[in-house]
Amino acid sequence: MKPAMVGKHNARRLGLAMTCCAFAYLRSVFVLPVGKPQAAISRRCATRGLVTRRFFGSGGTPPDLKEVADAVPSWEELRSKLQTLQTDEEKAFRNDLAEGKGPPHAMANLRVFDQDAAAAGRITLYRDSASWCPYCHKVWMLLEEKQIPYNVKRVNMACYGDKPAEFLALQPGGQIPVAVMDGQVLGSSDEIIQKLLRSAGASSEVDSELDPFDHPQSVSLLRLERQLFSAWLQWLCGSGSGARNAFEQTLQQVEDVLESDVSGPYFLGERFSLIDIMYTPFLERAVASLAYFKGFDIRDRSEYPAINAWFDAMETRPSYRATKSDYYTHAHDLPPQLGGCTEEGAGAQARADVDGGAWEWPLKAGLIEPDWTWISVPEARREAAERLCYKPDAVARFAARGAAGPGFPPVWAELADPNAAPAEEWIPGVDLLMRHTVSQLLGEGGGPVPAVRSEELAKCIEYLQNRVGVPRD
């Protein structure tokens, strides 16, 4: 999926936005332009299998690309150029990822912190492949905050594929997350969190701060989180002033609680705790989805200053930066999970921004999604280039699905279709466009781009562009 655009972003978000914009530019001059994507299942539908987005071509003959290919740097040349620009930390990224070290990242399957791989053998977390699941989000953040070593195994959500037999043997109902801790199978986020709270992390002081149950308001705050969750879903999946009023009243209670303790921005003032982690997944999703479907802006600082101060504080934490998603991803991953979301007219401009205007070149400021401010533009460009340079063959094959058709059997979440197959004949053209894109990200230009009329190649690039996932990619 593609991220929405803002002025400054984190590496994951701005870099991928730039990749999408580069693809959009190249698509406009190299292939026959196609229309902007429209909203995903935007109105609540009775049939969950209904899919309204289509990003597939219908075959055709690939154009002759010999003249174009001569002007494009090879992957080896692009990797060499990238290396000359990278910092030492950036060069170490793949090795750190494999060894479970360095900052948290959605691609990590092992996390050891200051220990070793043997220490991670105690815990295996089964979470969703696309990094969409809000319940997995809570567990993931708590493990990172406590710095308890763990392994990750990924399984599909029900809306985009089947689960492996290994997982179903542990969890016959298929729900995620699941954790195996010291040989014990824990089948819900609440069970896992309770066990983790009682487990020693890297710091006894951090462990104590995270466990909120010494605070007299902890239980009432957790109950308020459940009220907020319920009110959000009622409005998101329904309509009418009653649902909106109920949500606004509950949200105001959250604002009042955060405002009441002036010692700090968190729910317990200056103390970050499990309560903040429990609020994070659904408050983040409420912000994105209500902006998109209802035009309701929780990130309006004049209306909700305390909630926005809380988000500001959360965005300083590596555990949240690594797991945070964007408006586009949430707007399009929630409908297949929930059976659809009900859009209202007030959200029309937000939908236009998130689905198209937010990533047109030149990049625009002042759109509904707030800036992600903790990384420079050059760093973001290098990260985007690294993602495409790492395994370009696999990325090109993935994009070539766009010239084929949807997978079978179909899944509810078309943007995460695990059953689609590539149209092999279009892979060289996609590879060419990807190299042009990386050249532009690295400031190389990539040479002249002759116009070639190919709607199928445009579909391939659009297919990839629409599936850049945050934070997954």
Coordinates of all heavy atoms in Angstrom, one line a residue, residues 403-441:
A403 N -0.6 -7.2 -14.1 CA -1.0 -7.5 -15.5 C -1.7 -8.8 -15.7 O -2.0 -9.2 -16.8 CB 0.3 -7.4 -16.4
A404 N -1.9 -9.5 -14.6 CA -2.5 -10.8 -14.6 C -4.0 -10.6 -14.1 O -4.8 -9.9 -14.7 CB -1.8 -11.8 -13.8
G405 N -4.3 -11.2 -13.0 CA -5.6 -11.1 -12.4 C -5.6 -11.5 -11.0 O -4.6 -11.9 -10.4
P406 N -6.7 -11.3 -10.3 CA -6.8 -11.6 -8.9 C -6.5 -13.1 -8.6 O -6.8 -14.0 -9.5 CB -8.2 -11.2 -8.4 CG -9.0 -11.2 -9.7 CD -8.0 -10.9 -10.8
G407 N -6.0 -13.4 -7.4 CA -5.7 -14.8 -7.1 C -7.0 -15.6 -6.8 O -8.1 -15.0 -6.6
F408 N -6.8 -16.9 -6.8 CA -8.0 -17.8 -6.5 C -7.5 -18.8 -5.5 O -6.4 -19.4 -5.6 CB -8.5 -18.5 -7.8 CG -9.7 -19.3 -7.5 CD1 -10.9 -18.7 -7.5 CD2 -9.6 -20.7 -7.2 CE1 -12.1 -19.5 -7.3 CE2 -10.7 -21.4 -6.9 CZ -12.0 -20.8 -7.0
P409 N -8.3 -19.1 -4.4 CA -9.6 -18.4 -4.2 C -9.4 -17.0 -3.8 O -8.4 -16.6 -3.2 CB -10.2 -19.3 -3.0 CG -9.0 -19.8 -2.4 CD -8.0 -20.1 -3.4
P410 N -10.4 -16.1 -4.0 CA -10.3 -14.7 -3.7 C -10.3 -14.5 -2.2 O -10.8 -15.3 -1.4 CB -11.6 -14.1 -4.3 CG -12.6 -15.3 -4.4 CD -11.7 -16.5 -4.6
V411 N -9.8 -13.4 -1.8 CA -9.7 -13.0 -0.4 C -10.4 -11.6 -0.2 O -10.6 -10.9 -1.2 CB -8.3 -12.9 0.2 CG1 -7.6 -14.2 0.2 CG2 -7.5 -11.9 -0.6
W412 N -10.9 -11.3 1.0 CA -11.6 -10.1 1.2 C -10.7 -8.9 1.0 O -11.1 -7.8 0.6 CB -12.2 -10.1 2.6 CG -13.2 -11.1 2.9 CD1 -14.1 -11.6 2.0 CD2 -13.3 -11.9 4.1 NE1 -14.8 -12.7 2.5 CE2 -14.4 -12.8 3.8 CE3 -12.7 -11.9 5.3 CZ2 -14.8 -13.7 4.8 CZ3 -13.2 -12.8 6.3 CH2 -14.2 -13.7 6.0
A413 N -9.4 -9.0 1.5 CA -8.5 -7.9 1.4 C -7.7 -8.0 0.1 O -6.6 -8.5 0.1 CB -7.6 -7.9 2.6
E414 N -8.2 -7.4 -0.9 CA -7.5 -7.5 -2.2 C -6.1 -7.0 -2.2 O -5.2 -7.5 -2.9 CB -8.4 -6.8 -3.3 CG -7.8 -7.0 -4.7 CD -8.7 -6.3 -5.7 OE1 -9.3 -5.3 -5.4 OE2 -8.6 -6.7 -6.9
L415 N -5.9 -5.9 -1.4 CA -4.5 -5.3 -1.4 C -3.5 -6.2 -0.7 O -2.3 -5.9 -0.7 CB -4.6 -3.9 -0.7 CG -5.4 -2.9 -1.5 CD1 -5.3 -1.5 -0.8 CD2 -5.0 -2.8 -2.9
A416 N -3.9 -7.3 -0.1 CA -3.0 -8.2 0.5 C -3.2 -9.6 0.0 O -3.0 -10.6 0.7 CB -3.1 -8.2 2.1
D417 N -3.6 -9.7 -1.3 CA -3.9 -11.0 -1.9 C -2.7 -12.0 -2.0 O -1.8 -11.7 -2.7 CB -4.5 -10.7 -3.3 CG -4.9 -12.0 -4.0 OD1 -4.8 -13.1 -3.4 OD2 -5.4 -11.9 -5.1
P418 N -2.7 -13.0 -1.2 CA -1.6 -13.9 -1.2 C -1.6 -15.0 -2.3 O -0.7 -15.7 -2.5 CB -1.7 -14.7 0.2 CG -3.2 -14.7 0.4 CD -3.7 -13.5 -0.2
N419 N -2.7 -15.0 -3.1 CA -2.9 -16.0 -4.1 C -2.7 -15.5 -5.5 O -2.8 -16.3 -6.4 CB -4.3 -16.6 -4.0 CG -4.6 -17.2 -2.6 OD1 -3.7 -17.9 -2.0 ND2 -5.8 -16.9 -2.0
A420 N -2.4 -14.3 -5.7 CA -2.2 -13.7 -7.0 C -0.9 -14.2 -7.6 O 0.1 -14.4 -6.8 CB -2.3 -12.2 -7.0
A421 N -0.8 -14.4 -8.9 CA 0.4 -14.8 -9.6 C 0.8 -13.8 -10.6 O 0.0 -13.1 -11.2 CB 0.2 -16.2 -10.3
P422 N 2.1 -13.7 -10.9 CA 2.6 -12.6 -11.8 C 2.4 -13.0 -13.2 O 2.3 -14.2 -13.6 CB 4.1 -12.5 -11.5 CG 4.5 -13.9 -11.0 CD 3.3 -14.4 -10.3
A423 N 2.3 -12.0 -14.1 CA 2.3 -12.2 -15.5 C 3.8 -12.1 -15.9 O 4.3 -11.0 -16.0 CB 1.5 -11.1 -16.2
E424 N 4.4 -13.2 -16.1 CA 5.9 -13.3 -16.3 C 6.4 -12.3 -17.3 O 7.5 -11.8 -17.2 CB 6.3 -14.7 -16.6 CG 5.9 -15.7 -15.5 CD 6.8 -15.7 -14.3 OE1 7.9 -15.1 -14.4 OE2 6.5 -16.3 -13.3
E425 N 5.7 -12.2 -18.4 CA 6.2 -11.4 -19.6 C 6.4 -9.9 -19.3 O 7.1 -9.2 -20.0 CB 5.3 -11.6 -20.8 CG 3.9 -11.1 -20.7 CD 3.0 -12.1 -20.1 OE1 3.4 -13.0 -19.4 OE2 1.7 -11.9 -20.3
W426 N 5.8 -9.5 -18.2 CA 5.9 -8.0 -17.9 C 7.0 -7.7 -16.9 O 7.2 -6.5 -16.6 CB 4.5 -7.5 -17.4 CG 3.5 -7.6 -18.4 CD1 2.6 -8.6 -18.6 CD2 3.3 -6.6 -19.4 NE1 1.8 -8.3 -19.7 CE2 2.2 -7.1 -20.2 CE3 3.8 -5.4 -19.7 CZ2 1.7 -6.4 -21.3 CZ3 3.4 -4.7 -20.8 CH2 2.3 -5.2 -21.6
I427 N 7.6 -8.7 -16.3 CA 8.7 -8.5 -15.3 C 9.8 -7.6 -15.8 O 10.3 -6.7 -15.1 CB 9.2 -9.9 -14.8 CG1 8.0 -10.5 -14.0 CG2 10.4 -9.7 -13.9 CD1 8.4 -11.9 -13.5
P428 N 10.3 -7.8 -17.0 CA 11.4 -7.0 -17.5 C 11.1 -5.5 -17.5 O 11.9 -4.6 -17.2 CB 11.8 -7.5 -18.9 CG 11.3 -8.9 -18.9 CD 10.1 -9.0 -18.0
G429 N 9.8 -5.2 -18.0 CA 9.4 -3.8 -18.0 C 9.3 -3.2 -16.6 O 9.7 -2.0 -16.4
V430 N 8.8 -4.0 -15.7 CA 8.7 -3.5 -14.3 C 10.1 -3.3 -13.7 O 10.4 -2.3 -13.0 CB 7.9 -4.5 -13.4 CG1 7.9 -4.1 -11.9 CG2 6.5 -4.6 -13.9
D431 N 11.0 -4.2 -14.0 CA 12.4 -4.1 -13.5 C 13.0 -2.8 -14.0 O 13.7 -2.0 -13.3 CB 13.2 -5.3 -14.0 CG 14.6 -5.2 -13.5 OD1 14.9 -5.7 -12.4 OD2 15.5 -4.7 -14.3
L432 N 12.8 -2.5 -15.3 CA 13.3 -1.2 -15.9 C 12.8 0.0 -15.1 O 13.5 0.9 -14.8 CB 12.9 -1.2 -17.3 CG 13.2 0.1 -18.1 CD1 14.7 0.2 -18.2 CD2 12.6 0.0 -19.5
L433 N 11.5 0.0 -14.9 CA 10.9 1.2 -14.2 C 11.4 1.3 -12.8 O 11.7 2.4 -12.3 CB 9.4 1.1 -14.2 CG 8.6 1.5 -15.4 CD1 7.1 1.4 -15.2 CD2 9.0 3.0 -15.8
M434 N 11.6 0.2 -12.1 CA 12.2 0.2 -10.8 C 13.6 0.8 -10.7 O 13.9 1.6 -9.8 CB 12.2 -1.2 -10.2 CG 10.8 -1.7 -9.8 SD 10.8 -3.5 -9.4 CE 12.1 -3.6 -8.2
R435 N 14.4 0.4 -11.7 CA 15.7 1.0 -11.8 C 15.7 2.5 -12.1 O 16.5 3.3 -11.5 CB 16.6 0.3 -12.8 CG 17.0 -1.1 -12.3 CD 17.9 -1.8 -13.3 NE 17.2 -2.4 -14.4 CZ 17.4 -2.3 -15.7 NH1 18.5 -1.6 -16.0 NH2 16.7 -2.9 -16.6
H436 N 14.8 3.0 -12.9 CA 14.6 4.4 -13.1 C 14.2 5.1 -11.8 O 14.7 6.1 -11.5 CB 13.5 4.7 -14.2 CG 14.1 4.8 -15.6 ND1 14.8 5.9 -15.9 CD2 14.0 4.0 -16.6 CE1 15.2 5.8 -17.2 NE2 14.7 4.6 -17.7
T437 N 13.3 4.4 -11.0 CA 12.9 5.0 -9.8 C 14.0 5.1 -8.8 O 14.2 6.2 -8.2 CB 11.8 4.1 -9.2 OG1 10.7 4.0 -10.1 CG2 11.3 4.6 -7.8
V438 N 14.8 4.1 -8.6 CA 16.0 4.2 -7.7 C 17.0 5.2 -8.2 O 17.5 6.0 -7.3 CB 16.6 2.8 -7.6 CG1 17.9 2.9 -6.7 CG2 15.7 1.8 -6.9
S439 N 17.2 5.3 -9.5 CA 18.1 6.4 -10.0 C 17.6 7.7 -9.5 O 18.4 8.6 -9.1 CB 18.2 6.3 -11.5 OG 18.9 5.2 -11.9
Q440 N 16.3 8.0 -9.6 CA 15.8 9.3 -9.2 C 15.9 9.5 -7.7 O 16.2 10.6 -7.2 CB 14.4 9.4 -9.7 CG 14.2 9.3 -11.2 CD 13.1 10.2 -11.8 OE1 12.5 10.9 -11.0 NE2 12.9 10.1 -13.0
L441 N 15.7 8.4 -6.9 CA 15.8 8.6 -5.5 C 17.2 8.9 -5.1 O 17.4 9.6 -4.1 CB 15.3 7.2 -4.8 CG 13.8 7.0 -4.8 CD1 13.6 5.5 -4.4 CD2 13.1 7.9 -3.9

